[in-house]
Amino acid sequence: MDSATSDARTPLGATADNGLKIVVVGGFGVGKTTLVRSVSEIRPLNTEETMTKAGEAVDDISEVRGKSATTVAFDFGRITLDARNVLYLFGAPGQERFWFLWDRLFSGTLGAIVLVDTRRIGDSWYAIDRLEHHGTPFIVACNDFGGPTYAPQQIREALDLDPHVPLLDCDARSRASAKQVLITLVEYVRNHHGPQSGRYDTQVHAPHQELAL
């Protein structure tokens, strides 16, 4: 895997004056923290805490037995698009008791990534419901956990996705894969929710060339 080796000292360019917010959401243990870490150009800020025995009565860890820490607020990373435009990445906590934070994180968001574990696809329903409620553009990325393979149409039907919502596979541990997820989201927002739609007045140009990872 080609995981990121972020430098915490990477400076923000003096000409960067347009911050674009992206939120990564999904169920408990789907890889949100890992994706932010993989693609961020700085050492990400994270609020992970060690999971304790007492927490087993609150969080269902039956499907994520190897998980030893969990996000309790949000993860934060940064990606420079070009001299002026910067993506700020926010990874939302997945446990149900932290869902109240999501509505605030969605405020002012350019778009969102719904990260899915196809072994636990029902854990993603709430994220999609809240994004649709807020009218926030989103794409769906299926993180590779080595589980059973499903056809894209099967996943779309299980998530009740609109046909225009992009659906792709990814490996959250891979910088290249995480980069492709971001490119897909930025292109989707630009093409379907850009200035011509009246939703955003921010132009995001040629992400293939400008995601300098």
Side-chain angles (χ1 to χ4, degrees):
M1 299 299 167
D2 55 331
S3 59
T5 54
S6 303
D7 186 346
R9 297 168 295 179
T10 302
L12 182 62
T15 59
D17 60 0
N18 189 33
L20 308 171
K21 180 181 176 183
I22 286 178
V23 176
V24 185
V25 294
F28 179 51
V30 296
K32 300 179 294 295
T33 297
T34 300
L35 188 142
V36 173
R37 284 176 177 169
S38 294
V39 79
S40 178
E41 67 190 14
I42 61 172
R43 185 176 299 124
L45 167 70
N46 65 70
T47 55
E48 282 199 318
E49 296 293 340
T50 301
M51 298 178 67
T52 64
K53 197 72 175 177
E56 293 182 8
V58 181
D59 300 319
D60 181 6
I61 64 169
S62 60
E63 299 291 340
V64 286
R65 288 295 181 184
K67 190 171 177 62
S68 61
T70 186
T71 299
V72 296
F74 59 83
D75 304 303
F76 174 78
R78 189 187 77 202
I79 297 291
T80 298
L81 289 176
D82 57 27
R84 289 194 57 197
N85 297 297
V86 178
L87 288 181
Y88 294 109
L89 309 177
F90 291 83
Q95 301 98 310
E96 184 174 352
R97 68 182 185 278
F98 295 124
W99 285 352
F100 72 92
L101 295 171
W102 288 18
D103 288 347
R104 289 187 176 273
L105 281 176
F106 294 161
S107 177
T109 298
L110 176 74
I113 298 162
V114 179
L115 207 56
V116 171
D117 178 353
T118 56
R119 302 170 304 173
R120 300 177 288 125
I121 204 162
D123 291 355
S124 305
W125 292 339
Y126 181 79
I128 291 173
D129 177 73
R130 296 312 300 167
L131 289 166
E132 290 178 341
H133 174 77
H134 282 269
T136 302
F138 68 91
I139 67 170
V140 174
C142 297
N143 196 11
D144 181 11
F145 285 93
T149 301
Y150 298 99
Q153 188 57 35
Q154 290 177 293
I155 297 173
R156 285 188 176 278
E157 291 175 359
L159 294 174
D160 194 23
L161 284 183
D162 286 340
H164 69 274
V165 175
L167 172 68
L168 68 160
D169 295 324
C170 76
D171 184 336
R173 300 166 297 178
S174 164
R175 175 183 282 192
S177 184
K179 173 183 173 181
Q180 186 57 50
V181 172
L182 288 174
I183 288 172
T184 301
L185 175 62
V186 171
E187 288 186 333
Y188 173 62
V189 171
R190 182 189 63 183
N191 294 333
H192 296 274
H193 301 272
Q196 68 274 15
S197 71
R199 180 178 175 86
Y200 298 105
D201 58 7
T202 298
Q203 290 187 335
V204 181
H205 304 287
H208 279 95
Q209 285 74 38
E210 294 171 356
L211 272 174
L213 304 181

